[in-house]
Amino acid sequence: MAPITTNTFVENAAGNDDPPAPVKGLRRLMWWIVPANLGIFLIWGAVPGILLPQQIAVLFGEENKLATYSVIATIGAFAAMVAQPIAGQISDRTRSRYGRRAPWIMLGALAGALALVGLAFASSVVGLIIAWTLVQISYNFAQGPLSAVMPDRVPLKRRGTFAALSGIGLMVGAIGGQIVGSFFFHSITLGYIVFAVFAVVILGLFVAFNPDYPSTKLEREPFSFREFLSTFWVNPVKHPDFFWAFTGRLLLYTGYFAVTGLQLYLLTDYFGVESPESVIPLLGMLSLVGIIISTLVSGPLSDKVGRRKPFVFASAAVVSLAFLLPWFWQDLNAWMIMTFIAGFGFGMFQAVDQALMSEVLPSAKSFAKDLGVVNIAATLPQTLAPGVAGAIALAFGYAALFPVAIVLGILGALAVWPIKATR
């Protein structure tokens, strides 16, 4: 049987079909996805988790920081929600000698670097909103096409392992960003510049060492404004698995990041830590150890047993139990224990989540667009959850965050149950 070509795959395949082999081999791609995700998610960990809230506290004072941060984070989150599916559709329709994804990965990284520099020098609420919104749009234009690499190039039987490696880059970036960001606690401008340069270099190397097939021979589809508007919609009746996968990810991510995304203010205002920058690196390491252990075990194990759902259910249970600790025990030790246990639980979910998502995509013609839609469920909580959590904390106190997060996590796991495309 002749090997499938890129043109044939794009025209006829869905997410549960095997794609053509990568140009430079699967092994190279699998290892390079770790630093590629790291380059983007270091920014998602450091900026909204450390640098931006500290910048706001310095500029506007302790009494105004929470409300100001909530507004800025919420507006930026909606920009991310709009940007990634649009970037995905543009990427799907791109015809170039470098393929459909590489041009936008690089343009997003370069534009994001400029936006981070602008954020570093912003000194008003309006300036911060504009700069942070541009950061969100730019890096989501890189992240959307990057997420399509799995269904574009990775066979079904290796997606659990690929998702685990991708998840390591993602979570090491998100948590490690807080660790590294804490080193720039008193040098915010330098921190922004360092993260901007790192992302450009790493994503540039990913594109250079993992070339894609040219997309110049793919048929050009006529532009339709109605189709463009459909960027933000996948029919839940026609594609129920996609709907349930989206809902499950949205709820699970929102629950997790509603607590962890507000860590800086929880440490200072809930636990009374006077120098949070001295504690954050240790907390980050505890979380990373838990995440890496569970991710490395869960991803390959899910490939071996051919099941994804049990890992999602176990993840929700472990994270929910972890959040009980700081809710009933208002002490820094409880937060440290919770950080490790919750990291372990969330790593289980992250290890299989991308593989599960890739298997419910409707068509290879729109992988990046559909992943852009479903990635709203990952990106939006990481940026919106701190803002929503800030509003909850303002209204009901910080302790109210924990039961809300527990309920969301359990509902997210239950949402995965009806999916039929994967077990």
Side-chain angles (χ1 to χ4, degrees):
M1 181 177 178
I4 187 172
T5 65
T6 302
N7 287 15
T8 302
F9 177 75
V10 173
E11 292 295 329
N12 302 299
N16 56 354
D17 292 312
D18 281 327
V23 174
K24 292 294 185 179
L26 181 61
R27 184 181 297 274
R28 175 187 290 193
L29 179 66
M30 293 184 75
W31 286 113
W32 264 102
I33 197 62
V34 178
N37 270 339
L38 185 70
I40 293 177
F41 280 89
L42 275 171
I43 292 166
W44 297 147
V47 178
I50 301 294
L51 299 181
L52 183 57
Q54 174 61 8
Q55 184 179 12
I56 290 169
V58 171
L59 289 173
F60 307 110
E62 291 292 319
E63 66 278 4
N64 299 313
K65 66 180 184 183
L66 189 54
T68 304
Y69 178 69
S70 297
V71 171
I72 294 172
T74 301
I75 294 173
F78 280 105
M81 181 179 67
V82 172
Q84 194 164 139
I86 290 177
Q89 182 170 111
I90 294 173
S91 172
D92 287 330
R93 299 169 65 89
T94 296
R95 304 294 180 259
S96 80
R97 60 180 292 191
Y98 304 106
R100 296 186 291 170
R101 316 304 181 195
W104 298 105
I105 292 173
M106 285 312 305
L107 284 172
L110 291 168
L114 293 174
L116 276 177
V117 173
L119 183 62
F121 293 99
S123 58
S124 66
V125 173
V126 173
L128 290 171
I129 289 173
I130 293 172
W132 178 233
T133 299
L134 291 174
V135 169
Q136 290 277 20
I137 292 172
S138 300
Y139 284 111
N140 274 286
F141 258 78
Q143 186 181 333
L146 181 64
S147 67
V149 166
M150 180 190 290
D152 275 351
R153 311 188 205 179
V154 181
L156 292 171
K157 66 180 181 180
R158 301 300 300 277
R159 288 188 186 176
T161 303
F162 187 88
L165 292 170
S166 179
I168 287 175
L170 187 157
M171 293 310 300
V172 169
I175 304 300
Q178 295 188 12
I179 298 174
V180 179
S182 67
F183 297 144
F184 297 100
F185 200 74
H186 301 293
S187 305
I188 296 172
T189 299
L190 178 61
Y192 283 133
I193 294 172
V194 168
F195 286 114
V197 172
F198 182 78
V200 170
V201 172
I202 289 296
L203 291 173
L205 291 173
F206 173 83
V207 168
F209 283 96
N210 297 277
D212 198 3
Y213 294 98
S215 59
T216 50
K217 293 184 179 180
L218 291 175
E219 183 180 348
R220 290 183 180 273
E221 299 182 14
F223 176 79
S224 165
F225 186 70
R226 181 177 180 182
E227 182 182 340
F228 175 76
L229 292 178
S230 73
T231 293
F232 304 97
W233 174 255
V234 176
N235 192 323
V237 176
K238 189 176 179 180
H239 304 291
D241 284 352
F242 187 94
F243 168 77
W244 288 116
F246 176 91
T247 303
R249 176 188 271 195
L250 179 68
L251 292 169
L252 281 159
Y253 266 75
T254 301
Y256 183 77
F257 286 101
V259 173
T260 61
L262 213 62
Q263 175 173 256
L264 179 60
Y265 293 164
L266 279 165
L267 288 173
T268 56
D269 300 346
Y270 184 70
F271 296 110
V273 178
E274 294 184 0
S275 301
E277 70 274 18
S278 65
V279 179
I280 288 173
L282 174 59
L283 293 169
M285 290 304 298
L286 289 171
S287 182
L288 281 178
V289 170
I291 288 170
I292 291 173
I293 292 173
S294 61
T295 300
L296 288 176
V297 172
S298 300
L301 185 59
S302 77
D303 279 344
K304 185 174 182 180
V305 301
R307 300 176 70 90
R308 315 292 189 199
K309 292 180 185 178
F311 296 91
V312 177
F313 301 145
S315 167
V318 172
V319 173
S320 296
L321 288 173
F323 285 161
L324 289 173
L325 279 171
W327 186 18
F328 292 107
W329 181 18
Q330 190 175 337
D331 185 85
L332 181 59
N333 291 321
W335 184 258
M336 288 184 176
I337 298 170
M338 182 281 295
T339 297
F340 173 79
I341 298 174
F344 184 90
F346 195 73
M348 295 174 65
F349 172 71
Q350 193 60 50
V352 301
D353 174 56
Q354 285 189 304
L356 186 152
M357 291 297 176
S358 72
E359 293 169 18
V360 301
L361 298 177
S363 170
K365 292 182 180 180
S366 58
F367 275 166
K369 186 269 283 187
D370 294 335
L371 278 169
V373 174
V374 84
N375 281 342
I376 291 173
T379 304
L380 189 62
Q382 294 180 64
T383 50
L384 181 58
V388 174
I392 293 172
L394 281 170
F396 305 105
Y398 286 101
L401 296 175
F402 303 111
V404 170
I406 290 170
V407 170
L408 290 173
I410 293 172
L411 291 175
L414 293 175
V416 174
W417 182 263
I419 296 175
K420 296 178 180 178
T422 187
R423 296 186 295 164

